[in-house]
Amino acid sequence: MSETVTKDSSSENLPPVELANKYDATQLKNAVDDEIARYYGKEQKFVQSHVHTDMKLFLGYVSCIIAGGSFYYEYTTGFRESINVTTISVIVFWILQSIAFAYSHFIEKNEIFMGTQYSHGRPSATLRISGKMEKYTSKYPLTLTYSDKLTNKSATTKIEPNVATWFTTKGTLVHDVIDNDLKSYVTTLQQQLHQE
């Protein structure tokens, strides 16, 4: 994997993001996803949508409540008396887990950021970013879709940055480098909209 060694800007008051192993694709993806949400949320003023997270949390909490309720019922009544309730609880639990899997696979579709910009209290633009990082690579294919709500136009671009270049040799995220790249992605999409 190629990399760029750059000193992080001390002018920003951002906490350092350090990876234990910058060659671990899961760590890279998680750090980059968090930075994408931070940059577009704070710097570009997109209000992030948490619909996907809320839905998965809801399904998870309901599953836990069912499991806890089933356990408590079995504990208070005994195994033989609660076998029907336990069986139904297990079936409902697996149905909820199947719904969570289907939601993640068919609706969320590797979406890592969805945000809306507001102007004078009204939505002016949306940005949707999705991507899936494969194991054993530092390339992170991303699809960015920018929609201008005022003109009803949208533009999409696919990029494949080498995310290892956003980290130092010690695994520390270089905020200036990633922020400049993230800014250029949105600027390019906005320019595409104005050219049409």
Side-chain angles (χ1 to χ4, degrees):
M1 290 190 241
S2 65
E3 55 187 85
T4 300
V5 179
T6 311
K7 288 187 179 179
D8 199 358
S9 172
S10 60
S11 63
E12 293 187 53
N13 294 326
L14 297 172
V17 176
E18 297 176 351
L19 303 179
N21 179 4
K22 77 174 251 176
Y23 301 104
D24 180 2
T26 302
Q27 287 185 37
L28 278 172
K29 180 186 180 338
N30 291 337
V32 169
D33 289 355
D34 290 346
E35 184 63 15
I36 286 172
R38 183 209 61 83
Y39 177 76
Y40 288 120
K42 292 195 170 145
E43 304 295 329
Q44 295 290 322
K45 308 295 186 218
F46 282 92
V47 177
Q48 186 172 2
S49 170
H50 297 285
V51 171
H52 299 315
T53 304
D54 293 343
M55 178 59 80
K56 290 190 284 188
L57 280 172
F58 172 75
L59 292 170
Y61 283 133
V62 171
S63 297
C64 288
I65 289 168
I66 289 171
S70 175
F71 170 77
Y72 180 75
Y73 184 74
E74 180 182 333
Y75 181 77
T76 57
T77 62
F79 177 73
R80 292 191 187 275
E81 292 80 15
S82 65
I83 191 73
N84 292 334
V85 171
T86 302
T87 302
I88 291 169
S89 296
V90 168
I91 292 168
V92 171
F93 176 84
W94 284 109
I95 289 171
L96 289 172
Q97 294 305 302
S98 299
I99 291 170
F101 173 78
Y103 183 87
S104 180
H105 187 71
F106 296 110
I107 297 174
E108 187 178 19
K109 293 181 183 176
N110 299 319
E111 186 175 286
I112 56 176
F113 182 82
M114 170 63 178
T116 305
Q117 273 183 336
Y118 291 87
S119 176
H120 306 294
R122 300 178 73 183
S124 59
T126 60
L127 178 65
R128 183 182 306 262
I129 303 172
S130 59
K132 184 176 180 183
M133 188 174 205
E134 300 293 331
K135 289 182 180 181
Y136 314 116
T137 181
S138 62
K139 299 282 187 182
Y140 193 3
L142 297 171
T143 302
L144 290 84
T145 303
Y146 181 88
S147 301
D148 188 333
K149 297 293 185 185
L150 304 175
T151 61
N152 289 326
K153 291 182 179 179
S154 66
T156 300
T157 188
K158 292 183 180 185
I159 55 170
E160 195 171 311
N162 182 351
V163 296
T165 62
W166 295 338
F167 293 85
T168 64
T169 55
K170 294 182 179 180
T172 303
L173 180 69
V174 183
H175 290 286
D176 289 343
V177 175
I178 187 172
D179 289 358
N180 286 337
D181 286 349
L182 295 176
K183 181 178 181 180
S184 72
Y185 302 153
V186 171
T187 303
T188 301
L189 287 169
Q190 291 169 335
Q191 289 172 350
Q192 285 178 10
L193 287 178
H194 290 91
Q195 290 173 355
E196 293 177 359

